[in-house]
Every structure is written in structure tokens, then in C-alpha cells.
Amino acid sequence: MASFTAAGTSYATHGQAMIPFYIFYSMFGFQRTGDLAWAFGDARGRGFMLGATAGRTTLNGEGLQHEDGHSHVLASTVPNVVAYDPAFAYEVATIIRDGLKRMYVDGEDIYYYITLYNEDYPMPAMPAGSEEGILRGLYLFRSAVQQAKHRAQLFGSGPILRQALRAQEMLAERWDVAPTCGA
């Protein structure tokens, strides 16, 4: 965290902007070094904190103490953190590009917290026109595949989005529901 702070504030202390990417174990990031995250924000640090192996599905064999379901709650307490829980690579790319622009082109005093996962699953192409929604925090991933008597809207982020997509297919097949799925 000290190296992240040194690199993230180098634009002010040395007149040389650096773009730090700090990858850490999400469960113990804001929980164990939260004061340093606050200090980084107070120092107007800029960069990307990447909480690896996040979520409730990634480290089941290690016990509940390793299942991060709350790092975004802790990150939300830092006023200048912009936090995301992406499910797919195109979301990560969109968020990183936005962060680079906001911090290093526009000069905003913010930093990003992005959760990452260690699950292996296919990465789909980015749906057309979804970039703005990704950055706002909600976009339509897939429309209802058919018309039906009932409608439902399913939402998800991170790896749970895949379960919402699976539920979308099941609802359409079994119960005459036309669900849309958003991320």
C-alpha cells in the first residue's frame, strides 16, 4: 500500500504521473488496510486498486473468512473511490479506459476499486451501446429471448451474473416468463 501511495501521488510530489495498479487479496484489503486507503484518498492519490479473488464463490475451501462479500461496502465509505464489480473482460477494459481518462487526462482526484475473480468462464463480446451503462453501473446484457405472458428483470454483477443468465434461460423455458438480464 505504501508503494501504491508513492506511485499514486507522484504527480504531485515529483511532477511525474505514474499509473499504479495494486493487486491484493480483496478480503483483506479494505478490511485490513482501510486506514491507508483513506490516507491515499486524502493525499489525492490516483490509481487502480484491484481486489483479486473477490466474491463468495472463489475460495470456498478456505472457509468463510476468505469469502469476500463486503469489500464494496467498505470501499463505498471512502468518498473518492469509484468501485466496480465487473463480470466480463470488456467491462474491465471499459472501466480502466474511463479511469485513465478521468484521473490522468481530466485530472480528477479519484481512484478506482475493481474486484477481480479467479473463475474460468467464457468472455462474451460487449453488447452494442453498453459502454455508458457499464460506467453508470447498470446496462442491458441480454433482452428477453421471446415474448411471454409474464416479464421479469434479472440483475447481477461479478460471477453471480452467470447465474442470472442461467436463470433467464430457465424462466423462459419452464414458466412462460420473458426475463431481461442486466449487469
Side-chain angles (χ1 to χ4, degrees), residues 53-74:
T53 63
R56 295 215 178 265
T57 61
T58 56
L59 294 172
N60 287 327
E62 297 292 322
L64 286 176
Q65 77 234 18
H66 293 275
E67 293 199 7
D68 168 23
H70 64 284
S71 67
H72 277 276
V73 174
L74 297 173

Side-chain angles (χ1 to χ4, degrees), residues 103-118:
M103 291 183 286
Y104 298 99
V105 175
D106 300 342
E108 288 187 55
D109 292 329
I110 57 175
Y111 66 102
Y112 281 61
Y113 175 57
I114 303 169
T115 45
L116 304 174
Y117 299 90
N118 67 342

Side-chain angles (χ1 to χ4, degrees), residues 17-137:
M18 297 181 77
I19 305 170
F21 283 78
Y22 173 36
I23 302 173
F24 62 97
Y25 185 16
S26 69
M27 179 59 191
F28 301 124
F30 282 96
Q31 180 177 335
R32 299 280 163 72
T33 61
D35 289 343
L36 296 174
W38 265 95
F40 185 77
D42 285 346
R44 297 171 41 196
R46 300 173 185 167
F48 296 91
M49 289 182 68
L50 306 172
T53 63
R56 295 215 178 265
T57 61
T58 56
L59 294 172
N60 287 327
E62 297 292 322
L64 286 176
Q65 77 234 18
H66 293 275
E67 293 199 7
D68 168 23
H70 64 284
S71 67
H72 277 276
V73 174
L74 297 173
S76 72
T77 65
V78 182
N80 52 343
V81 168
V82 180
Y84 288 97
D85 186 34
F88 301 122
Y90 67 82
E91 293 172 319
V92 175
T94 300
I95 293 162
I96 298 289
R97 184 174 53 247
D98 180 64
L100 291 171
K101 179 187 177 301
R102 289 180 67 185
M103 291 183 286
Y104 298 99
V105 175
D106 300 342
E108 288 187 55
D109 292 329
I110 57 175
Y111 66 102
Y112 281 61
Y113 175 57
I114 303 169
T115 45
L116 304 174
Y117 299 90
N118 67 342
E119 296 178 50
D120 184 20
Y121 54 89
M123 296 291 138
M126 184 165 93
S130 63
E131 184 173 332
E132 181 182 338
I134 291 168
L135 298 175
R136 282 194 348 242

